[in-house]
Amino acid sequence: MAEAQAVYAPEIVAQESLLVLENELVFARLVHRDFENEVAKYGDVVNTRKPTNLTATKWAGQATTLGAAADEITVQRPTATNVAVTLDKHVYTSFMEEDKPAAVSIKSLRDEFIMPSLVPIADYIDEACICEMIGATSTADGTAYTGHDYAGNHITRVNSVASTVAAEDVIALRQSLNTAKCPAEPRFLVCSTEHEAQLLADTLFVQADQSGSTEALVNARLGRKFGFDCYFDQQIPNDATTATKAQSLAFHRNCLALVMRPLRQVPAGMGAVSAVQAYNNLAIRIVSAYNLRGMGIDIKFDCLFGVRLLDANLGRKLVG
């Protein structure tokens, strides 16, 4: 890595790291992330607004008497609920690369250093999003997530599967969201590894909406099925109430918010070199400094983020 730093600027390493992070995320890539990308610090609160729905009213026609109430339309005054997302998760990986004479290529840099550093961060972010949606306790750091939105609602369990998850269970998820008037696009189904294996053994699920594409074989994607873009995620825990039953989550993008902010660069003259890259509402920072006693370079990858359930009505969980 010492040789790599001489060849590759920290900005290039940070850019490559951001690409790895985005590719490794599954659940976190599917939720709402459209917030202003401003520099913030740990503990800051990012506010967004959740507007109320308007109602349609039938026009009764003009009244026969001039000035009657029917001559005027009803003007609604929409309100919006403030949704505060606290940036309370500062996650990092760090290691030391000892001095060595061998040069490191960009491929070796990615495979040997960046991937092992960014995969745990991606897993941590995915788990945080999932735990917030279902109200579970993180296995990574023991954080207890609320799992309810600002109206106090929790994600509804649509069905408790007796034995094996099948295509009809996915159809039941679709029906439940349709009944709740959830927007049709974009919708996602993220399966636990156990449910994924069961659904892939179901002929109706596998053959649904086939397009001849091999896209379903890569990037944890199972394809487009019954109105859902389907994925699997290894971070989905078993259902908390049963402890042994697997669960999967169906939701609209606006069900949950992930807010990530770029951390500041280390000021010049502080004995460290840093670079920050932000793209597509994701951000990563790399900080490196020579460790004289350890005879190597200390390297740290870190990011700052917060998650919050926005609307429980836009999500459902399948347990079984």
Side-chain angles (χ1 to χ4, degrees), residues 5 9-14 263-277 284-289 298-300 302:
Q5 282 207 321
E11 291 78 10
I12 296 178
V13 179
L263 291 156
R264 69 172 185 173
Q265 294 200 41
V266 177
M270 300 298 292
V273 177
S274 67
V276 177
Q277 286 289 332
I284 193 74
R285 179 177 69 173
I286 177 174
V287 180
S288 61
D298 288 333
I299 301 166
K300 180 184 70 171
D302 62 347

Side-chain angles (χ1 to χ4, degrees), residues 32 53 61 96 107 143 164 174 187 227 243 247 283 294 303-304 306 319:
H32 181 65
N53 295 324
M96 174 186 286
K107 183 178 185 302
T143 300
T164 302
R174 175 188 173 98
R187 289 185 187 178
Q247 61 184 332
C303 61
L304 176 68
V319 178

Side-chain angles (χ1 to χ4, degrees), residues 65-143:
T65 302
L66 185 64
D71 281 335
E72 299 180 356
I73 65 171
T74 300
V75 179
Q76 301 176 63
R77 298 182 182 276
T79 59
T81 302
N82 183 70
V83 180
V85 184
T86 304
L87 301 175
D88 57 356
K89 295 165 183 62
H90 185 181
V91 59
Y92 71 93
T93 54
S94 182
F95 63 93
M96 174 186 286
E97 173 57 24
E98 296 180 355
D99 292 337
K100 63 179 183 180
V104 179
S105 67
I106 188 64
K107 183 178 185 302
S108 299
L109 182 70
R110 180 188 179 100
D111 295 343
E112 195 172 339
F113 301 106
I114 297 178
M115 286 290 291
S117 299
L118 271 296
V119 169
I121 291 179
D123 290 345
Y124 189 106
I125 297 171
D126 268 353
E127 190 200 43
C129 292
I130 292 166
C131 288
E132 170 63 17
M133 185 172 286
I134 62 178
T137 298
S138 167
T139 58
D141 61 10
T143 300

Side-chain angles (χ1 to χ4, degrees), residues 3-320:
E3 293 291 336
Q5 282 207 321
V7 178
Y8 300 108
E11 291 78 10
I12 296 178
V13 179
Q15 184 176 19
E16 186 72 14
S17 302
L18 186 62
L19 293 174
V20 171
L21 176 64
E22 185 171 29
N23 288 336
E24 290 299 318
L25 291 172
V26 179
F27 202 95
R29 282 192 297 167
L30 309 178
V31 301
H32 181 65
R33 302 200 310 271
D34 297 331
F35 297 92
E36 292 298 324
N37 199 20
E38 299 174 352
V39 175
K41 62 181 183 296
Y42 183 88
D44 277 2
V45 174
V46 177
N47 294 296
T48 184
R49 291 165 65 83
K50 176 184 167 186
T52 56
N53 295 324
L54 298 178
T55 57
T57 304
K58 180 182 177 181
W59 170 243
Q62 291 185 340
T64 56
T65 302
L66 185 64
D71 281 335
E72 299 180 356
I73 65 171
T74 300
V75 179
Q76 301 176 63
R77 298 182 182 276
T79 59
T81 302
N82 183 70
V83 180
V85 184
T86 304
L87 301 175
D88 57 356
K89 295 165 183 62
H90 185 181
V91 59
Y92 71 93
T93 54
S94 182
F95 63 93
M96 174 186 286
E97 173 57 24
E98 296 180 355
D99 292 337
K100 63 179 183 180
V104 179
S105 67
I106 188 64
K107 183 178 185 302
S108 299
L109 182 70
R110 180 188 179 100
D111 295 343
E112 195 172 339
F113 301 106
I114 297 178
M115 286 290 291
S117 299
L118 271 296
V119 169
I121 291 179
D123 290 345
Y124 189 106
I125 297 171
D126 268 353
E127 190 200 43
C129 292
I130 292 166
C131 288
E132 170 63 17
M133 185 172 286
I134 62 178
T137 298
S138 167
T139 58
D141 61 10
T143 300
Y145 290 83
T146 60
H148 62 75
D149 60 21
Y150 278 81
N153 300 313
H154 295 265
I155 296 294
T156 301
R157 179 190 292 188
V158 169
N159 192 16
S160 184
V161 181
S163 56
T164 302
V165 173
E168 52 263 31
D169 297 306
V170 179
I171 295 172
L173 290 171
R174 175 188 173 98
Q175 180 184 12
S176 181
L177 288 174
N178 288 345
T179 302
K181 297 182 180 180
C182 171
E185 293 290 343
R187 289 185 187 178
F188 305 100
L189 172 64
V190 182
C191 302
S192 65
T193 53
E194 182 176 338
H195 282 180
E196 181 221 14
Q198 294 171 357
L199 286 171
L200 288 179
D202 185 288
T203 303
L204 179 59
F205 179 84
V206 172
Q207 292 181 348
D209 301 330
Q210 283 188 340
S211 62
S213 171
T214 59
E215 185 179 19
L217 304 178
V218 298
N219 295 328
R221 184 165 184 174
L222 305 178
R224 180 78 176 173
K225 312 288 183 181
F226 307 110
F228 296 102
D229 287 322
C230 301
Y231 298 81
F232 78 91
D233 195 313
Q234 297 167 320
Q235 307 307 315
I236 297 182
N238 286 342
D239 176 54
T241 58
T242 61
T244 58
K245 291 188 176 181
Q247 61 184 332
S248 296
L249 297 166
F251 58 94
H252 183 273
R253 181 182 298 277
N254 291 339
C255 181
L256 183 136
L258 165 66
V259 182
M260 186 174 288
R261 286 291 183 272
L263 291 156
R264 69 172 185 173
Q265 294 200 41
V266 177
M270 300 298 292
V273 177
S274 67
V276 177
Q277 286 289 332
Y279 174 73
N280 200 19
N281 295 299
L282 297 173
I284 193 74
R285 179 177 69 173
I286 177 174
V287 180
S288 61
Y290 192 77
N291 187 320
L292 182 62
R293 293 184 177 181
M295 297 186 66
I297 298 176
D298 288 333
I299 301 166
K300 180 184 70 171
F301 296 88
D302 62 347
C303 61
L304 176 68
F305 72 99
V307 295
R308 182 65 196 180
L309 188 65
L310 296 178
D311 191 345
N313 194 48
L314 300 182
R316 296 292 185 270
K317 65 179 179 179
L318 179 68
V319 178

